[in-house]
Amino acid sequence: MSKQNILITVDNIVFSIVDQQLQVLLIKRLIEPFKDMRALPGWFVLENENLEKAAHRELEEETSVKNIYLEQLYTFSEVNRDPRGRVISCAYMALVARENIIINPGSDAAETQFFAVNKLPKLAFDHKKVIEYALQRLKWKMEYTNIAQYILPRKFTLSELQKVYETILNQAIDVRNFRKKIEKLWLVKETGEKEIGVQYRPAKLYEFSTRKLEIVDVL
Amino acid sequence: MSKQNILITVDNIVFSIVDQQLQVLLIKRLIEPFKDMRALPGWFVLENENLEKAAHRELEEETSVKNIYLEQLYTFSEVNRDPRGRVISCAYMALVARENIIINPGSDAAETQFFAVNKLPKLAFDHKKVIEYALQRLKWKMEYTNIAQYILPRKFTLSELQKVYETILNQAIDVRNFRKKIEKLWLVKETGEKEIGVQYRPAKLYEFSTRKLEIVDVL
DNA sequence: CTAATAGTGTCTCTGAGACACTATCTA
DNA sequence: TAGATAGTGTCTCAGAGACACTATTAG
């Protein structure tokens, strides 16, 4: 067996829609390097866990979360990406509905919070690049899968669904055509319920017809 | 800095079209574990190289190759995937035109050769799963990018191009509609040359209009 | 001429996009 | 009633798919 001196970490890119904007979860680093700077939550992989488990564990240290979507994104391996030594990082992209995630107040990293992706602070390591990569993947998946379900509450209106697409893809969509497409694809089904407490015509509430990730050409 | 005892390797999935079939390059393992079994070519990552460089280096040990396409696929990290200990493997998918690759006779692994993807021998480690994953990615990329150029010679006929699509996607395509689409997309351009030495109407030779990977909705 | 493959003309029908319209709620 | 958002009808045009056709080479 060859001898190596390479460490491996996972980093999580947690996306959610907050205040009608696409946001990403960042921690504030408590130690060097990049002390006090913002960074993606991440930690070293343990010997008895696979990468996905490591990503989950890390997430649960920072937050209380349910019904989260997690997928491996890319492994970043530039030789000098970490000033402490050779560290390879496997990035995982997570999607969660804002109400399904609670940021742990006593977590290891202070001031963990969501930041709008188009107003990011200066980031540690190569994390800016990592987030950009994740954004690309997210957009792609929004167009070609039913991944939107993981960022929405279980019941939602078609207007909310459309807004998610418009926010993430950053483009306006015609109401009529959007609804035609969604209906055609059997993407969602009616719950029989309606919005309550709004001061205009209440919209029907829908849910996704399947809870599994599927390939569908949405837009 | 935390202490870890995890090793990292790269494995290459090299696809090419041989005898009108999609094939993948396999080595025969010379040492335990899985001695004498077929496996994907791969090796440990060095401390002063990133993963992509490691994949390239490994490939150049087994073969002489020019104009190869290489992309990171996925990092496989199951705890028990290697009986020798904890080994995480980053898989890279490579595409090459058969005439652009020469298998080095004196390479580290004996009997390196191409195997048809639908007639694979028993494979070491989790390499069967890895190849299946790569196949999925390849099919996806064939539909949505101009990646086909990397598996074809520089000059080719439209029939050859179509055959590549039919082989990899495993479906028949209408000649007329295929050509209409290819033309519409400006995917290829005429070279002015024609096939020679065939005993029927010689086809025009084309080349790809760009040598870069681009997103195009081919099929 | 025949055999073989290269390459084209054209019809149909679906669906994307544009846009004006109607419906239903609260206050 | 007005104000707000939910939700629908319908025209146009591009393009996917089906399929029958013509063209060009060797021998």
Side-chain angles (χ1 to χ4, degrees):
Chain A
M1 278 297 254
S2 103
K3 180 99 174 81
Q4 268 180 340
N5 194 19
I6 304 178
L7 292 170
I8 179 145
T9 62
V10 293
D11 286 315
N12 286 317
I13 301 97
V14 184
F15 287 123
S16 194
I17 302 275
V18 187
D19 301 333
Q20 311 248 47
Q21 289 183 302
L22 181 63
Q23 308 220 7
V24 62
L25 193 68
L26 297 176
I27 62 152
K28 188 176 201 171
R29 285 186 59 81
L30 293 175
I31 52 169
E32 293 292 349
F34 303 107
K35 187 165 181 297
D36 295 327
M37 215 180 262
R38 300 288 173 174
L40 293 168
W43 200 245
F44 292 95
V45 176
L46 302 180
E47 278 176 44
N48 60 353
E49 66 185 0
N50 62 26
L51 291 170
E52 188 173 325
K53 215 166 223 156
H56 260 117
R57 176 176 54 76
E58 210 290 323
L59 214 50
E60 280 156 18
E61 277 172 20
E62 304 287 346
T63 63
S64 301
V65 70
K66 59 177 184 180
N67 195 33
I68 199 165
Y69 172 80
L70 196 66
E71 87 170 46
Q72 188 186 303
L73 196 64
Y74 195 82
T75 302
F76 293 85
S77 65
E78 288 307 311
V79 174
N80 294 313
R81 54 182 298 285
D82 191 318
R84 293 168 294 186
R86 186 69 200 280
V87 178
I88 287 176
S89 167
C90 187
Y92 275 78
M93 177 174 82
L95 292 187
V96 67
R98 183 61 186 90
E99 74 253 40
N100 285 339
I101 185 169
I102 298 164
I103 296 162
N104 290 345
S107 85
D108 193 32
E111 297 183 53
T112 300
Q113 56 178 279
F114 279 101
F115 287 80
V117 292
N118 44 21
K119 268 182 255 160
L120 290 178
K122 196 144 168 41
L123 294 169
F125 305 105
D126 51 2
H127 289 180
K128 186 170 166 51
K129 201 173 92 184
V130 176
I131 291 174
E132 272 161 18
Y133 190 94
L135 250 176
Q136 280 305 111
R137 174 81 65 96
L138 176 60
K139 287 180 181 176
W140 179 265
K141 286 239 158 174
M142 286 294 287
E143 292 212 41
Y144 295 109
T145 75
N146 62 356
I147 202 176
Q149 65 178 290
Y150 300 104
I151 213 164
L152 279 162
R154 201 162 75 80
K155 296 173 184 178
F156 52 87
T157 68
L158 292 184
S159 298
E160 285 169 342
L161 180 61
Q162 181 173 343
K163 195 89 179 85
V164 168
Y165 276 97
E166 291 182 324
T167 301
I168 295 179
L169 299 178
N170 197 30
Q171 60 173 322
I173 305 170
D174 180 273
V175 196
R176 185 68 185 107
N177 300 332
F178 181 75
R179 286 168 187 240
K180 260 193 300 187
K181 193 69 190 282
I182 296 298
E183 186 177 20
K184 181 102 211 314
L185 293 171
W186 296 93
L187 207 62
V188 301
K189 61 184 182 201
E190 294 189 17
T191 62
E193 298 170 61
K194 289 190 174 190
E195 266 184 319
I196 45 172
V198 290
Q199 58 199 8
Y200 45 79
R201 175 175 175 177
K204 288 182 187 169
L205 290 173
Y206 290 80
E207 59 188 356
F208 274 85
S209 10
T210 168
R211 301 295 283 166
K212 282 196 347 210
L213 185 71
E214 291 188 351
I215 310 290
V216 281
D217 198 351
V218 183
L219 290 194
Chain B
M1 275 299 251
S2 106
K3 178 101 172 85
Q4 267 180 340
N5 194 18
I6 303 177
L7 293 171
I8 181 146
T9 63
V10 292
D11 286 315
N12 286 316
I13 302 96
V14 184
F15 286 123
S16 194
I17 302 275
V18 187
D19 301 333
Q20 310 249 48
Q21 290 183 303
L22 181 63
Q23 309 220 7
V24 61
L25 193 68
L26 298 176
I27 62 151
K28 188 176 200 172
R29 284 186 61 80
L30 294 174
I31 53 168
E32 293 293 350
F34 302 107
K35 188 165 180 298
D36 294 328
M37 214 180 264
R38 299 289 172 173
L40 292 167
W43 200 244
F44 293 95
V45 176
L46 301 181
E47 279 175 44
N48 60 352
E49 65 185 0
N50 62 24
L51 291 170
E52 189 172 324
K53 219 169 220 154
H56 260 118
R57 177 178 51 77
E58 210 291 322
L59 213 51
E60 280 157 18
E61 277 171 21
E62 304 287 346
T63 62
S64 301
V65 69
K66 57 176 187 180
N67 195 32
I68 200 164
Y69 172 80
L70 196 66
E71 87 170 46
Q72 187 185 304
L73 196 63
Y74 195 83
T75 302
F76 294 85
S77 65
E78 289 308 311
V79 174
N80 295 312
R81 53 181 300 284
D82 191 317
R84 291 167 295 186
R86 187 68 200 281
V87 179
I88 286 176
S89 167
C90 187
Y92 275 78
M93 177 173 82
L95 292 187
V96 66
R98 183 61 184 91
E99 75 253 38
N100 284 340
I101 186 169
I102 298 164
I103 296 162
N104 288 346
S107 87
D108 194 30
E111 298 182 54
T112 300
Q113 56 178 281
F114 278 101
F115 287 79
V117 291
N118 44 21
K119 268 183 257 163
L120 290 177
K122 195 146 172 37
L123 293 169
F125 306 105
D126 52 1
H127 288 180
K128 187 172 164 50
K129 200 173 93 185
V130 175
I131 290 174
E132 271 161 20
Y133 190 94
L135 250 176
Q136 280 306 110
R137 175 80 65 94
L138 176 59
K139 286 180 181 178
W140 179 264
K141 286 239 157 174
M142 285 295 287
E143 291 213 42
Y144 294 110
T145 74
N146 62 356
I147 202 177
Q149 65 180 286
Y150 299 105
I151 212 164
L152 280 162
R154 201 162 75 81
K155 295 173 184 176
F156 52 87
T157 69
L158 292 183
S159 298
E160 284 168 343
L161 180 61
Q162 180 173 343
K163 195 87 181 84
V164 167
Y165 277 96
E166 292 183 322
T167 301
I168 294 180
L169 298 178
N170 197 29
Q171 60 174 323
I173 304 169
D174 180 272
V175 195
R176 185 67 184 105
N177 299 333
F178 180 75
R179 285 168 188 239
K180 261 195 299 189
K181 194 68 191 282
I182 296 299
E183 186 178 20
K184 181 104 209 317
L185 293 171
W186 296 92
L187 206 61
V188 300
K189 62 182 181 201
E190 294 189 18
T191 62
E193 296 170 61
K194 289 190 176 189
E195 264 183 320
I196 45 170
V198 291
Q199 58 199 9
Y200 45 79
R201 176 175 175 177
K204 287 182 188 167
L205 290 173
Y206 290 80
E207 57 188 357
F208 274 84
S209 12
T210 167
R211 302 294 286 164
K212 281 196 349 209
L213 186 70
E214 290 187 351
I215 310 290
V216 281
D217 198 350
V218 184
L219 288 194

